[in-house]
Amino acid sequence: MIQLNAYFPLKNKVALVTGAALLGSESGRARFWQLDVSDSNAVQRVMAGVEGHFGRIDILVNSAGIDADNALRYASRNIRVNTIHPGFSRPPAVVEAMRNQGDLTQTLVDLAEVRMLAGRGSATDVAAGILYLVSDASRFVSGSELVIEAGYGCRS
């Protein structure tokens, strides 16, 4: 596996990640806060807690699956806001939604027949896009939607 930090070093950056599945740190510090991202008061408390503990927040990655209200709200504070749109995967909520729409097996067969980039994407592919957007390499990128889905959206 490619070490993504070799491409986009984030040493000494403070990141708040919502919806994260794993918490770990090889050489840095990591801390967990319980958070319901649909509760704006809880969001404010956690952000204040992170700033109090680490002194600042350099990066915010909201992967909890809710929409933000307005990307331009934070521009005056020089905060960039971008979105990642990952490709098809099979988390339980998606599978259940597909079952509710009809024949799950046929839907999966249809998806498999779509001509896209070869291979199967992974969480590492999405992480690479996130690292790009939070690194200095994207210092003038804000309001973008980075689609990481092997061309599925371009199907005819």
Side-chain angles (χ1 to χ4, degrees):
M1 179 187 306
I2 297 171
Q3 293 296 319
L4 296 176
N5 60 352
Y7 291 116
F8 303 105
L10 299 175
K11 188 173 183 167
N12 298 321
K13 298 284 187 179
V14 175
L16 189 158
V17 180
T18 67
L22 298 174
L23 176 69
S25 176
E26 292 176 11
S27 61
R29 301 175 294 160
R31 181 152 178 218
F32 172 82
W33 276 268
Q34 181 77 28
L35 174 62
D36 174 356
V37 295
S38 67
D39 179 347
S40 60
N41 291 326
V43 170
Q44 292 299 324
R45 280 194 305 275
V46 168
M47 291 187 78
V50 171
E51 286 182 307
H53 184 78
F54 291 105
R56 67 187 193 284
I57 298 173
D58 299 310
I59 299 163
L60 171 63
V61 176
N62 179 11
S63 61
I66 65 166
D67 292 329
D69 59 350
N70 185 332
L72 295 177
R73 174 184 295 228
Y74 304 102
S76 66
R77 295 174 54 195
N78 204 31
I79 296 173
R80 296 178 286 127
V81 178
N82 298 289
T83 61
I84 296 278
H85 301 264
F88 177 77
S89 62
R90 292 182 62 176
V94 171
V95 171
E96 186 60 30
M98 290 169 55
R99 277 194 182 109
N100 291 338
Q101 292 179 357
D103 182 0
L104 174 62
T105 303
Q106 185 58 49
T107 301
L108 292 173
V109 168
D110 293 345
L111 286 171
E113 291 177 355
V114 173
R115 301 287 185 238
M116 299 181 292
L117 294 177
R120 177 181 289 184
S122 69
T124 302
D125 297 310
V126 176
I130 291 170
L131 285 175
Y132 163 70
L133 288 174
V134 302
S135 74
D136 290 339
S138 69
R139 68 184 180 275
F140 204 62
V141 176
S142 190
S144 75
E145 298 177 345
L146 182 56
V147 179
I148 304 174
E149 44 83 279
Y152 177 76
C154 298
R155 69 196 185 284
S156 56

